[in-house]
Amino acid sequence: MNDLLESDPAGPILIVGGYGTVGTALTRLAGTQWPLLLTGRNPDRGSHLASGNVTLQRWDLSRPEPFEAKVRAVISTVNDPDDRVLRAAVSAGIPYVDVTRWTSRVTRAATLATLLRPTAPVLLSSGWMGGVINIVAADLVQDAGGGDQIDVAIRYDINDRAGVDSVDFMDRLGLDFEVRKGGKAAVVRPLSDTRWVDIAGHRTKVARLDTPEQFTLPLTLGAGSVATRIGFSSNTSTTALLAARAVGLFRWGSGERWTPLRRSLLYSPGAGGTAHIRVDVKGPGGTRTAVISDPQGQAHLTALGGLLGLRAVLEEGARPGVSFPESAPDPASRLAELESHGVTILRS
């Protein structure tokens, strides 16, 4: 690809996918602080976001036409399967944030970015909800004096507003994945190891899911075991998903032919819902728990993770190279900012 980005400290923040579900939420948050350039396949769809501070330009990552722009930083809120956005930003020495990669693509991005020898910060913030889970876990680990065991339980509200990318994990449910358990590598089957968990007063059945924080937290925080599980606000949806796994849908039905059926099990975005996540950390100092709730939903919470990521890569003294959101030196200050945007974080 011949995309050409140039670093311009006075230029706009480039939001790739800036008028999608998460991109729109991020645009509304970041547009009050920086000038923005939004890109996507069909910029006309984002015309309602245009203003004196927000401009739009076409960049279709699926087509070979080169893209050019002078920008201050780049954040990707869409899948970047060929690493076009990453390559263009890192090659130009522009601070970069990504909030949309699944685990295997995070590992690839970390490797590629390192090989490109970045001269600016590269923040791979694709843990659940734009890395918000990672930051909360880091704060709890500090308080517990370590993270022998980290358990994450997600309550996915099926009535929430959601973009198609938000359920891309459905296509990973036929693939076993590796985690750390007791300090050793272990292979886990998706939607296995079910349990009932109280999440913000909701008794929720949750099962294992492949997410990037299970890969990064053992490396960054020294966690001996990390497990992320997901359940749904509808018991019917949870039952249907577990039944689909039991009959092997995600293995024999993994091709494009079966995509509509897989997506129909979960993708039914509604008028809005509340995002709830519980994080438990066991360490030398005991057990610490935090319950995160965002009444504006998962897109808003993910966008806030992206906003924190932009602040991190743009702050004075930000170091070049690859990092993850839990590497922030002061996670408590990041959580305070989340709370200033209406997110509730109850600790115990």
Side-chain angles (χ1 to χ4, degrees):
M1 301 300 177
N2 296 314
D3 304 308
L4 180 61
L5 296 182
E6 293 185 50
S7 177
D8 181 359
I13 305 295
L14 169 58
I15 303 181
V16 182
Y19 53 85
T21 305
V22 172
T24 295
L26 179 58
T27 294
R28 289 171 175 157
L29 290 167
T32 62
Q33 301 169 50
W34 303 290
L36 305 178
L37 170 60
L38 315 183
T39 65
R41 294 180 182 180
N42 303 292
D44 288 346
R45 294 182 181 176
S47 59
H48 62 287
L49 296 170
S51 68
N53 203 42
V54 179
T55 57
L56 291 95
Q57 192 172 340
R58 185 172 186 270
W59 190 6
D60 186 345
L61 299 178
S62 68
R63 299 187 62 82
E65 290 85 357
F67 176 79
E68 296 184 13
K70 295 181 179 181
V71 298
R72 181 180 180 184
V74 177
I75 179 166
S76 179
T77 68
V78 297
N79 283 323
D80 183 19
D82 297 315
D83 298 309
R84 285 183 66 174
V85 182
L86 174 65
R87 288 177 184 274
V90 175
S91 297
I94 298 172
Y96 171 85
V97 181
D98 195 309
V99 298
T100 56
R101 294 175 182 265
W102 57 67
T103 309
S104 61
R105 289 188 175 175
V106 168
T107 59
R108 188 180 70 190
T111 303
L112 174 61
T114 300
L115 292 173
L116 291 174
R117 299 183 180 181
T119 57
V122 176
L123 180 61
L124 301 178
S125 196
S126 292
W128 195 264
M129 298 294 103
V132 168
I133 282 179
N134 308 53
I135 298 170
V136 171
D139 184 64
L140 296 178
V141 167
Q142 282 190 3
D143 195 34
D148 299 330
Q149 170 73 42
I150 300 175
D151 284 290
V152 177
I154 301 158
R155 186 176 187 270
Y156 189 105
D157 192 333
I158 62 170
N159 294 315
D160 202 354
R161 289 183 293 271
V164 174
D165 285 349
S166 69
V167 292
D168 268 348
F169 67 82
M170 292 286 288
D171 295 333
R172 315 294 297 167
L173 294 179
L175 303 175
D176 294 348
F177 57 97
E178 185 176 292
V179 298
R180 303 300 292 182
K181 186 175 182 179
K184 297 181 179 180
V187 175
V188 174
R189 186 181 181 187
L191 299 178
S192 64
D193 194 15
T194 59
R195 62 181 59 179
W196 289 93
V197 180
D198 182 289
I199 308 174
H202 302 278
R203 189 169 181 263
T204 307
K205 189 174 186 178
V206 295
R208 294 297 294 265
L209 176 73
D210 184 14
T211 53
E213 67 274 359
Q214 293 174 94
F215 162 65
T216 67
L217 295 179
L219 299 174
T220 53
L221 302 182
S225 301
V226 183
T228 297
R229 297 175 176 85
I230 192 168
F232 306 101
S233 57
S234 164
N235 288 331
T236 301
S237 293
T238 302
T239 300
L241 199 63
L242 294 176
R245 188 267 296 174
V247 300
L249 170 64
F250 300 108
R251 294 184 186 273
W252 56 256
S254 60
E256 292 185 8
R257 174 185 177 186
W258 300 100
T259 296
L261 174 59
R262 296 195 308 272
R263 296 292 170 88
S264 69
L265 292 171
L266 182 60
Y267 184 60
S268 56
T274 299
H276 292 301
I277 307 162
R278 172 172 173 159
V279 183
D280 293 286
V281 170
K282 294 180 181 178
T287 300
R288 302 291 187 272
T289 298
V291 177
I292 311 154
S293 298
D294 188 341
Q296 297 186 63
Q298 62 182 10
H300 181 256
L301 189 57
T302 302
L304 284 173
L307 182 69
L308 294 180
L310 283 173
R311 290 196 188 284
V313 299
L314 290 173
E315 65 186 2
E316 186 176 353
R319 302 175 67 177
V322 177
S323 66
F324 303 101
E326 65 269 22
S327 303
D330 184 14
S333 67
R334 267 67 174 180
L335 301 189
E337 182 164 359
L338 290 174
E339 291 175 317
S340 75
H341 286 279
V343 177
T344 300
I345 304 174
L346 300 178
R347 302 170 180 82
S348 60

